[in-house]
Amino acid sequence: MSQRVALEASHAVAEAVRMADVDVISAYPITPQTHIPERLAEMVANGELNAAYIPVESEHSALSTCLGAAAVGARTFTATAGQGLELMHEVVYIASSMRYPVVMAVCNRALSAPLNVWGDHSDAMAVRDTGWIQVFCQNGQEAFDLTLWAFRVGEDPKVLFPVMVHLDGFTLSHVTEPVILPEQSEVDRFLPRFQYPFALDPDKPMTHGAFGPPDIYSETKLAQEVAFRKSKKVILQGWQEFGDIFHRYYHPVEEYKTEDAQTLLLTMGAFTETAKIVIDERRDKGESIGLISLRLWRPFPFEEFRQAVKGAKVLIVFDRCISFGLGGPVFAEIRSALYDEEPRPKVVGIIGGLGGRDMSEEDFDYVINRGREIAEKGSDRILETVNIR
Amino acid sequence: MADELTWKDLEVGNIIKEAGNASFRETGDWRTEKPILDKEKCVKCALCWIYCPDAAIKPSEEGYYESDLYYCKGCGICASICPERAITMIAEEEK
Amino acid sequence: MKAQAVKFGEKLVPTKEFLAEGHSFCIGCGEALALRLACKALGKDVIIANATGCIEICTSPLPFTSWRVPWIHTLFENTAAVISGVEAGLKTLTKKNKRPVRDIKCVAIAGDGGTSDIGIQALSGAFERNHEFLYICFDNEAYMNTGVQRSSATPYGASTTTAPAGKFSIGQITRKKNMVAIAAAHDIPYVATACPSYRFDLMKKVRKGAEVKGPAYVHILSPCPTGWRYSTELTVKIGQLAVQTGIFPLYEIENGRYRLNADPPKLKPIEEYLKLQGRYRHLTGEQIERIQEMVNEDYAKLKKKVAASPM
């Protein structure tokens, strides 16, 4: 029988890693990620998990170690946040380009300077072009489910891409919620053993990581992009299989009360749950409003997204990051994704929730009101923000 | 060779499965001088074989060590370390 | 049938080339020679992780590879971390019965820049965590792959493109970082220096380093005709002179015990080594004298450590 237990989201991630029977964990401590590797180290020390826990000297080495282990066919996991993700940045590209299906949880954190250990999406946005499959979690259950699913999809022989599971630092990573933990037998049915077809082996000596001169580099990148786009099929299939076994079905774009909605709010991550309360209240008052949330961030779910916003007049995108000189990165991508659509909603962007700044229901009320105002009259501000003095 | 490949020809992650396929590559055309072995002087000590950076010297059936000019880059290490001075470097002729 | 090995007195060296011909190392490259010998010593049952640098570039231009053993390159500074993962991965998979029991040597290789500069943090971490691996530094005393820029392993007085000799500079104004001592400070079971001019010594040390329980470090001086600016046929001779003059002594540190492997009764004057190389051509007699003093000092220090080590 599956059981419903109170778990901190970080520990839910660790439980998923344990039930996935991961082989090698390599991590370096950084707030707010620490509860994940701490719990995993404890599991290994207790014998709850038969794995190597490698306490490396940096995040750069954390991911590098996972590459080496994956290259011999081990199931690998690491976790980081903020500056840690920045330090491993070049390794992040290597993992996807060399097609090692490492699973990494990122407890989203602001980027220095000034130093700030609290949550926003600056770290996630800095790695959006790195070729990892990326999903955003909204609650502890999703943190568990999507971590488990990440191994299933990334390691699929038709995929072989690393997967990043984003959970908001503190506002999700440190929150304790009821989480349903499945039976090990169900997990085993969902997640087959990792069978890496190109493992480094003296009997079949292969070369991993040859260098690409100008006469072939472009072809390597095209091959990577084609394979990455094609992974979408397995991503969807993985969620279907997950739902069939665990009875929770996930989709690339979550739609909440979007039916006939004139106004749509778009959020990603844990604040989505706060935003939903505001949507409920407004719906109760008879407003034509709904919410969509991108669960799958990469590969970008163009089709599902365009379908989800069909018929809406205004789409308000809430970003937790500034792309300096451009504005909200999610906003910019969303607007670009809709450019060829006719008709399409007016897309406006508002930025807030930076470096741990909370977003209350009132703040989302402001986002919606101001968003509609900008959609109608335009904006003469450099940046549209919420709850920033 | 590389410029004949399309993206469809590449392995997952650009892995190379044919171990040592670089041995198809000719490096002998880098050479400006080539080694000539005087078999009368050669004592088959194999020093030239072990000190060749390009693995271009191969043991022959008769027990000599002879340069494979497909690979030999003409560095002259073999000639310089030969204790019997059995190897001399001569200018490569124009092709 | 072709001979499987070439006989040198009692010693047998396999004819099999684990590093295939057709690589693009420079003409007369001492590093290619050292690597070829090291690969012969390591044999078939090995996994090699390689840092970015001359070796990586010269052996793996897509779609070609010189490697006849499993090989992985990812980045410049993380090679010790990658091999940590290889080692931990193999161990854990074996422990969990996901792969058969088999002795596979885990070997990391890098240049002096990848070792003593940008890769030193990852290397120190891997030593400290006690992974079972051999790390080989192929030291050609500068960033040769990018065009002879100075590294912390460049010796005092050598001219490089980023520490050039000039009216106001001798070239490299700092002393060569003692990477061997840094490795030894981690109290790992085996540390050694080697040079391809001493072929059997090199192969013996690489083999020993691969077989020892725990981390091992072998530092190989790899003469570079391109960067050191000497005539290509002199590679072996230059290596011999490095040892005979004492600027690069051959020694081992086994479980903390120092032993010199070649200790000539009288060291040759350093000038014999320096004068063959363009990178030292600018040196005055006085400056050569200064370098001689440094060599004497360092050699005396080493001999003290040897003398203090129980036999």
Side-chain angles (χ1 to χ4, degrees):
Chain A
M1 277 293 285
S2 57
Q3 47 174 170
R4 191 177 153 92
V5 292
L7 268 186
E8 189 183 295
S10 290
H11 292 173
V13 170
E15 286 299 327
V17 173
R18 178 183 66 78
M19 298 194 92
D21 188 32
V22 82
D23 299 310
V24 173
I25 301 149
S26 183
Y28 185 80
I30 183 169
T31 305
Q33 150 267 29
T34 43
H35 291 185
I36 299 175
E38 282 171 6
R39 181 71 188 104
L40 287 168
E42 190 183 9
M43 287 170 172
V44 172
N46 289 343
E48 293 171 75
L49 170 60
N50 189 356
Y53 180 91
I54 310 179
V56 282
E57 82 299 330
S58 74
E59 287 89 356
H60 198 282
S61 285
L63 188 51
S64 297
T65 309
C66 288
L67 302 186
V72 295
R75 176 168 287 164
T76 54
F77 176 82
T78 186
T80 191
Q83 300 309 122
L85 188 56
E86 287 292 289
L87 183 63
M88 63 166 71
H89 193 88
E90 62 166 351
V91 199
V92 173
Y93 272 91
I94 298 286
S96 55
S97 302
M98 291 179 71
R99 310 283 297 273
Y100 297 129
V102 181
V103 171
M104 171 157 67
V106 178
C107 299
N108 300 117
R109 164 179 155 167
L111 296 179
S112 301
L115 186 129
N116 178 294
V117 301
W118 293 273
D120 72 27
H121 290 169
S122 300
D123 56 358
M125 293 303 143
V127 294
R128 63 186 160 148
D129 296 333
T130 54
W132 285 53
I133 294 169
Q134 299 187 44
V135 287
F136 278 81
C137 303
Q138 294 176 16
N139 55 48
Q141 187 67 58
E142 289 193 16
F144 177 90
D145 292 351
L146 294 180
T147 303
L148 200 57
W149 163 90
F151 290 106
R152 162 69 187 85
V153 171
E155 293 172 359
D156 190 293
K158 291 196 285 298
V159 176
L160 292 175
F161 277 106
V163 186
M164 220 180 277
V165 179
H166 294 286
L167 54 156
D168 285 298
F170 292 113
T171 45
L172 180 53
S173 66
H174 286 50
V175 171
T176 298
E177 292 174 350
V179 174
I180 298 166
L181 294 183
E183 277 291 301
Q184 185 64 49
S185 58
E186 293 173 316
V187 172
D188 295 344
R189 193 145 57 90
F190 173 67
L191 182 63
R193 182 186 272 195
F194 177 34
Q195 301 279 10
Y196 180 55
F198 310 106
L200 294 171
D201 175 2
D203 289 336
K204 280 180 287 171
M206 295 188 213
T207 289
H208 288 215
F211 91 95
D215 61 2
I216 202 158
Y217 180 85
S218 306
E219 284 69 28
T220 70
K221 291 293 119 177
L222 178 57
Q224 184 178 343
E225 172 66 351
V226 171
F228 193 53
R229 296 282 187 114
K230 283 186 177 168
S231 72
K232 174 93 175 294
K233 202 175 156 190
V234 180
I235 287 171
L236 299 180
Q237 190 190 329
W239 273 329
Q240 182 66 42
E241 287 169 20
F242 187 93
D244 292 346
I245 294 174
F246 304 105
H247 314 297
R248 287 182 297 279
Y249 289 89
Y250 291 103
H251 305 282
V253 178
E254 191 200 347
E255 301 179 39
Y256 186 72
K257 302 193 175 174
T258 53
E259 209 166 306
D260 304 325
Q262 298 276 300
T263 303
L264 288 175
L265 175 64
L266 185 145
T267 57
M268 284 160 78
F271 282 156
T272 303
E273 304 228 319
T274 312
K276 279 180 185 169
I277 298 170
V278 178
I279 300 296
D280 287 345
E281 285 169 359
R282 289 187 177 235
R283 273 282 181 183
D284 287 348
K285 288 181 199 153
E287 263 187 55
S288 167
I289 189 164
L291 177 142
I292 60 174
S293 182
L294 295 184
R295 179 168 290 110
L296 180 64
W297 174 232
R298 285 292 188 278
F300 192 88
F302 287 104
E303 207 180 310
E304 292 84 352
F305 171 70
R306 286 173 185 146
Q307 193 58 42
V309 301
K310 239 187 185 111
K313 296 278 182 289
V314 178
L315 173 60
I316 305 158
V317 180
F318 173 65
D319 261 290
R320 295 189 69 189
C321 172
I322 302 174
S323 171
F324 296 106
L326 178 75
V330 180
F331 161 68
E333 291 202 11
I334 293 295
R335 198 144 72 159
S336 150
L338 291 174
Y339 186 81
D340 289 332
E341 299 300 291
E342 208 60 69
R344 59 173 182 261
K346 184 96 183 160
V347 186
V348 300
I350 297 179
I351 289 170
L354 301 180
R357 180 69 52 88
D358 199 16
M359 282 292 292
S360 65
E361 290 161 36
E362 291 72 35
D363 292 328
F364 275 111
D365 268 324
Y366 171 82
V367 169
I368 293 163
N369 295 339
R370 177 65 187 154
R372 281 174 172 156
E373 205 171 277
I374 308 165
E376 200 181 317
K377 301 178 190 157
S379 165
D380 54 5
R381 297 177 192 169
I382 287 178
L383 203 63
E384 286 290 342
T385 61
V386 52
N387 196 13
I388 301 180
R389 297 180 298 276
Chain B
M1 162 91 186
D3 55 13
E4 290 164 17
L5 298 176
T6 75
W7 65 270
K8 289 180 187 166
D9 301 317
L10 295 164
E11 278 292 346
V12 170
N14 313 312
I15 281 162
I16 306 174
K17 286 176 163 176
E18 286 171 87
N21 65 356
S23 62
F24 294 121
R25 299 170 82 210
E26 183 177 1
T27 50
D29 51 4
W30 298 20
R31 212 170 43 237
T32 57
E33 287 188 326
K34 66 179 169 190
I36 303 291
L37 172 67
D38 182 345
K39 288 186 180 169
E40 308 240 308
K41 289 185 185 168
C42 175
V43 294
K44 303 177 179 176
C45 72
L47 264 192
C48 58
W49 172 79
I50 204 163
Y51 277 135
C52 177
D54 300 316
I57 297 177
K58 304 291 181 193
S60 74
E61 301 277 323
E62 311 92 69
Y64 292 103
Y65 295 88
E66 296 186 46
S67 294
D68 183 338
L69 294 179
Y70 188 75
Y71 301 121
C72 171
K73 295 172 188 163
C75 65
I77 290 177
C78 53
S80 82
I81 50 93
C82 177
E84 306 299 325
R85 300 192 172 278
I87 304 172
T88 40
M89 300 300 291
I90 66 162
E92 190 72 29
E93 280 164 32
E94 281 196 38
K95 285 182 184 137
Chain C
M1 207 180 106
K2 282 211 168 154
Q4 299 289 304
V6 172
K7 240 178 140 171
F8 293 88
E10 295 292 296
K11 298 181 178 77
L12 285 174
V13 180
T15 51
K16 166 100 182 167
E17 302 293 347
F18 296 95
L19 183 74
E21 310 81 350
H23 56 61
S24 37
F25 288 95
C26 296
I27 301 174
C29 176
E31 185 169 81
L33 173 57
L35 180 62
R36 177 178 167 235
L37 297 175
C39 286
K40 282 182 185 291
L42 290 169
K44 175 178 178 285
D45 290 336
V46 68
I47 292 175
I48 294 180
N50 195 169
T52 307
C54 289
I55 294 180
E56 170 261 330
I57 289 288
C58 294
T59 60
S60 76
L62 266 171
F64 294 109
T65 177
S66 298
W67 296 95
R68 292 191 174 121
V69 289
W71 180 89
I72 175 172
H73 159 257
T74 65
L75 286 164
F76 196 2
E77 70 276 49
N78 65 347
T79 309
V82 172
I83 205 70
S84 302
V86 168
E87 182 253 17
L90 291 177
K91 257 191 188 160
T92 309
L93 291 174
T94 309
K95 197 172 82 179
K96 292 169 89 167
N97 292 322
K98 291 181 180 175
R99 57 170 295 127
V101 178
R102 177 162 174 188
D103 184 21
I104 296 172
K105 311 292 181 201
C106 297
V107 180
I109 60 178
D112 48 292
T115 303
S116 57
D117 288 340
I118 201 167
I120 197 167
Q121 173 179 323
L123 177 57
S124 178
F127 280 157
E128 177 271 325
R129 293 189 303 269
N130 210 36
H131 292 281
E132 210 161 313
F133 74 114
L134 164 64
Y135 190 100
I136 308 178
C137 171
F138 291 87
D139 179 8
N140 53 22
E141 303 194 318
Y143 290 91
M144 298 313 185
N145 184 43
T146 44
V148 201
Q149 293 83 19
R150 64 87 74 186
S151 77
S152 60
T154 304
Y156 176 82
S159 184
T160 55
T161 55
T162 51
K167 206 169 161 189
F168 299 104
S169 179
I170 190 174
Q172 185 85 346
I173 55 170
T174 50
R175 288 174 83 149
K176 184 180 174 80
K177 187 188 274 187
N178 191 342
M179 195 55 221
V180 180
I182 293 169
H186 290 79
D187 283 334
I188 58 176
Y190 188 73
V191 176
T193 66
C195 172
S197 307
Y198 298 82
R199 54 207 183 277
F200 302 123
D201 181 74
L202 183 150
M203 286 189 278
K204 189 182 78 192
K205 285 169 174 172
V206 167
R207 191 74 218 153
K208 227 171 170 178
E211 274 169 4
V212 78
K213 288 271 167 223
Y217 179 81
V218 177
H219 191 104
I220 303 182
L221 184 74
S222 306
C224 170
T226 310
W228 299 8
R229 288 182 275 137
Y230 63 81
S231 187
T232 58
E233 78 277 10
L234 295 178
T235 290
V236 173
K237 184 169 185 196
I238 296 255
Q240 286 166 344
L241 282 170
V243 173
Q244 290 162 353
T245 57
I247 195 166
F248 190 85
L250 296 179
Y251 61 103
E252 287 173 295
I253 311 166
E254 255 183 297
N255 300 311
R257 285 198 300 274
Y258 283 72
R259 190 170 63 214
L260 267 164
N261 307 105
D263 187 16
K266 194 173 175 329
L267 294 177
K268 287 187 175 174
I270 195 62
E271 192 174 1
E272 287 191 29
Y273 173 70
L274 302 179
K275 73 181 179 194
L276 293 176
Q277 304 175 47
R279 61 175 173 161
Y280 294 118
R281 190 173 297 138
H282 58 284
L283 296 178
T284 63
E286 210 173 301
Q287 288 166 334
I288 291 173
E289 200 41 51
R290 172 79 190 107
I291 293 174
Q292 183 67 65
E293 283 166 20
M294 288 176 171
V295 171
N296 295 349
E297 263 171 45
D298 289 345
Y299 202 81
K301 256 195 259 174
L302 178 62
K303 287 204 75 162
K304 251 189 186 165
K305 286 180 186 165
V306 173
S309 298
M311 286 309 280

